Amino acid sequence: MTTPSEPTLATQPEAQPGAPMTENTFIATAAGNDDPPAPIKGLRRLLWWIVPANLGIFLIWGAVPGILLPAQITEFDEPNKVVNLLIVTTIGSFASILAQPIAGQLSDRTRSRFGRRAPWIVLGSLAGGLALTGLAFADSLVGMVIAWTLVQISYNFAQGPLSAVMPDRVPLARRGTFAALSGIGLMVGALGGSIIGSMFLNSIAAGYIIFAVISLVTLTLFVIFNPDHSSVRIQPEPFRLVDFLRTFWVNPVKHPDFFWAFTGRLLLYTGYFAVTGYQFFILTDYLGVEDPATVIPILGLLSLVGILISTIISGPLSDRIGRRKPFIFGSSVFVGLAMIIPMVSPTIEAWMLMTFISGFGFGMFQAVDTALMSQVLPSAKSFAKDLGVVNIAATLPQTLAPAVAGGIVLGVGYIGLFPVGIVLSILGAFAVWPIKSSR
């Protein structure tokens, strides 16, 4: 039984105007465009620690699906590599689509003295590391499908609660900066993963295990050095099966800003990954690069330079001027127009130029889109669940893009990927303009 000194989600009174909001009051009454209680160890520490935390996860997303997994599949059955990669990535990505909202639902309801997010961040990274180790020793298509699916599920159980840290603990006025630092960790991880991953093309199993260890260490340290408010005295609302089945649905009529933010991210990610997700095969089969390992590190560095420049500028600048949408629009235009270059000039030099420009655009997007997303969340009671739904817009393209791109490649060749990427990226820009909760 709950005593008067133990407020619940249902009974917690609203905060008085001008009074600091407590953790319980915040969860009971706030939405994404409300300021949360201050972090226990301070905001500056949290701002900087999000970089290695995201780095630990996105090194894996950069190294495995784009570099190590295609190489492993090529060694297993080179004549059927495109079809096999399509099978493995499609099943794995579908699992990730289901995993992150479910992880968010569980995280939102977790009662722990370490808070609602920390247990899942650590356990997800531990389970993911074990799954990566299994993938390292998989010697059949079925084994690779099972192991990669478990990798996707496990790391999404860590990534979903980690993404809820922004609306949980970061004030509105600093979310652009936080998103920029988060984006640096994300993109440096993704690109660094591709660079480092290319160094393990001759020892794929060792690469998997090293990335697993890095992720577990960085995420555990993030939790240790950035403790959250206890959630022991926060009583979740009663579980109802109907509510659980609604996990994957946010009413677009009731929450139109959420719908448009989701749509914009979905379109741009699908356009981007339809092209970049096939980089390994584009290099070998479209551009005629005999040894991709010699150029992938260079491409990663070019993209990283573009991303860092735009990310460092865009996030803090969006905080300063109080606007997010112009940056989203500009990033989508950069990504879309960059894809024209290799379409008209199928050379490695053209691909390098595209990599830099699209990296600049995608860095701008990552620096601002995360902050915009945090402001359209309906309720603090379900931040992690709703962000899990939002992140479907990032993970669903990993399902759609290989399927769509694989069909295009098999039908008309790699040249057909670029017009699709251009159109989807630019449509993603226009989708953010109807959003009213952010300028």
Side-chain angles (χ1 to χ4, degrees):
M1 179 177 295
T2 303
T3 66
S5 62
E6 295 178 323
T8 69
L9 291 178
T11 62
Q12 176 67 33
E14 295 186 4
Q16 296 299 316
M21 187 174 288
T22 67
E23 178 75 3
N24 292 351
T25 303
F26 177 74
I27 294 175
T29 64
N33 57 351
D34 290 310
D35 282 328
I40 293 175
K41 292 290 187 178
L43 179 60
R44 179 173 296 181
R45 179 189 295 234
L46 184 65
L47 287 172
W48 289 111
W49 266 101
I50 194 61
V51 177
N54 268 350
L55 186 74
I57 291 180
F58 282 90
L59 278 171
I60 293 167
W61 298 146
V64 180
I67 304 296
L68 297 180
L69 188 59
Q72 184 179 13
I73 288 173
T74 300
E75 288 183 2
F76 168 71
D77 183 8
E78 184 170 2
N80 299 304
K81 61 184 181 181
V82 173
V83 174
N84 288 341
L85 181 64
L86 173 62
I87 293 171
V88 175
T89 56
T90 298
I91 294 174
S93 295
F94 180 74
S96 74
I97 290 171
L98 300 176
Q100 203 165 128
I102 293 174
Q105 181 86 269
L106 294 172
S107 174
D108 288 329
R109 293 173 174 273
T110 295
R111 296 178 65 183
S112 160
R113 71 186 186 90
F114 303 107
R116 295 186 292 170
R117 317 302 181 195
W120 297 103
I121 293 173
V122 174
L123 291 174
S125 61
L126 176 60
L130 295 174
L132 266 181
T133 303
L135 181 61
F137 297 101
D139 58 0
S140 68
L141 182 61
V142 172
M144 284 184 268
V145 167
I146 294 173
W148 178 240
T149 299
L150 291 175
V151 169
Q152 289 271 33
I153 292 172
S154 299
Y155 282 112
N156 274 285
F157 262 73
Q159 186 178 334
L162 180 64
S163 68
V165 167
M166 178 188 290
D168 277 351
R169 308 194 216 175
V170 181
L172 292 172
R174 301 300 300 277
R175 289 188 188 176
T177 301
F178 184 90
L181 293 169
S182 176
I184 288 173
L186 185 158
M187 297 308 298
V188 171
L191 292 170
S194 68
I195 295 171
I196 299 171
S198 67
M199 300 176 183
F200 287 97
L201 287 174
N202 295 321
S203 52
I204 295 172
Y208 285 148
I209 294 171
I210 288 173
F211 286 122
V213 171
I214 292 173
S215 177
L216 179 60
V217 170
T218 55
L219 289 172
T220 301
L221 290 176
F222 173 83
V223 167
I224 292 173
F225 285 98
N226 297 276
D228 196 3
H229 297 276
S230 171
S231 61
V232 170
R233 298 175 64 188
I234 298 171
Q235 182 174 324
E237 295 173 337
F239 176 82
R240 290 186 289 268
L241 180 60
V242 172
D243 292 337
F244 177 77
L245 295 176
R246 289 174 180 166
T247 290
F248 302 95
W249 173 254
V250 176
N251 192 323
V253 176
K254 187 176 180 180
H255 304 289
D257 284 357
F258 188 92
F259 167 78
W260 286 115
F262 178 94
T263 301
R265 175 180 280 195
L266 177 66
L267 289 169
L268 186 134
Y269 267 74
T270 302
Y272 183 78
F273 285 110
V275 176
T276 60
Y278 269 72
Q279 174 175 264
F280 190 87
F281 293 154
I282 288 173
L283 290 173
T284 57
D285 300 346
Y286 179 66
L287 302 179
V289 177
E290 294 183 1
D291 186 4
T294 62
V295 297
I296 287 175
I298 299 173
L299 294 170
L301 289 173
L302 286 171
S303 186
L304 180 59
V305 171
I307 286 169
L308 290 177
I309 293 172
S310 61
T311 299
I312 292 170
I313 295 173
S314 301
L317 184 59
S318 74
D319 280 343
R320 183 179 295 273
I321 67 176
R323 298 176 68 89
R324 315 289 190 200
K325 290 190 283 188
F327 295 92
I328 301 293
F329 184 84
S331 68
S332 301
V333 172
F334 271 111
V335 171
L337 294 181
M339 295 179 186
I340 296 175
I341 301 170
M343 183 173 66
V344 300
S345 176
T347 65
I348 186 61
E349 292 78 13
W351 187 259
M352 288 180 176
L353 182 59
M354 187 221 73
T355 298
F356 174 79
I357 297 175
S358 64
F360 184 92
F362 205 70
M364 183 185 299
F365 179 82
Q366 288 292 342
V368 178
D369 178 70
T370 307
L372 182 145
M373 287 291 183
S374 73
Q375 293 178 229
V376 301
L377 300 176
S379 172
K381 300 176 187 177
S382 57
F383 275 166
K385 185 270 288 184
D386 291 335
L387 279 170
V389 175
V390 165
N391 286 332
I392 289 176
T395 54
L396 183 59
Q398 296 178 51
T399 301
L400 295 178
V404 173
I408 293 171
V409 170
L410 294 173
V412 300
Y414 291 97
I415 189 68
L417 295 177
F418 302 111
V420 173
I422 293 167
V423 171
L424 292 178
S425 297
I426 294 178
L427 286 176
F430 286 100
V432 304
W433 286 113
I435 295 175
K436 296 179 180 179
S437 59
S438 180
R439 294 190 298 155

